[in-house]
Amino acid sequence: MEDCIFCKIATGKIPCAKLHESKEILAFLDIAPANKGHCLVIPKKHLETITEIPDALLSKMITAVKELTARIDRALKPDGFNIINNNKKPAGQLVPHFHIHVIPRFINDGQEITWKANTFDGEYMEKIRQIILTN
Ligand code: AMP
Ligand code: ZN
């Protein structure tokens, strides 16, 4: 896709700090990281959200995420990780090319990756469960 920054990175038109590359996948350091070692795993093909990713490709991506997490763990010794994927703008997806964030976390790193908890009553929870199950 012409205007997509991650397509440009995938085709080498703009540079990145590459960590891993295969025929279908690329991983590189995030340019505005939450912490040291924050990186992104992307498909080279322009696909936007998780439901568009073929299962075989998604499987390879999650394996790459796991391997990168293990490497960063050995290299930088963080205290934890967030593995995050935002789908669509209201969910925080700024770049509309599918990507999985690998974010090393450190005690007292000042980052907050959270949400406000709702309290739904049992009847509403059951209604939502049924709606999901019948679709
Ligand atoms: P999201 O909000 O989930 O779409 O995250 C997009 C991420 O892409 C952000 O964390 C940005 O810092 C990162 N990003 C944007 N442009 C670049 C780039 N040229 N190289 C590396 N990371 C980038
Ligand atoms: Zn793209």
Side-chain angles (χ1 to χ4, degrees), residues 1 4-8 43-47 95-98:
M1 202 195 180
C4 173
I5 189 137
F6 287 178
C7 281
K8 286 181 185 158
K44 288 185 176 175
K45 187 177 176 189
H46 184 87
L47 297 161
V95 178
H97 180 131
F98 185 75

Side-chain angles (χ1 to χ4, degrees), residues 2 9 11 29 34 49 54 69 84-85 108:
E2 235 170 61
I9 288 176
T11 52
L29 290 175
T49 63
T69 301
I84 294 175
N85 159 238
N108 298 324

Side-chain angles (χ1 to χ4, degrees), residues 58-119:
L58 192 57
S59 170
K60 287 175 192 162
M61 288 189 69
I62 208 69
T63 299
V65 164
K66 181 182 169 184
E67 286 171 4
L68 266 171
T69 301
R71 275 183 97 145
I72 293 165
D73 196 32
R74 285 196 301 273
L76 303 178
K77 307 208 178 335
D79 302 303
F81 283 91
N82 290 110
I83 309 298
I84 294 175
N85 159 238
N86 299 320
N87 288 264
K88 299 278 180 90
K89 222 176 194 171
Q93 185 176 15
L94 299 175
V95 178
H97 180 131
F98 185 75
H99 51 281
I100 302 175
H101 294 259
V102 176
I103 306 178
R105 297 301 305 274
F106 299 86
I107 292 167
N108 298 324
D109 64 12
Q111 295 293 347
E112 274 184 48
I113 298 166
T114 186
W115 58 86
K116 286 183 203 148
N118 281 300
T119 44

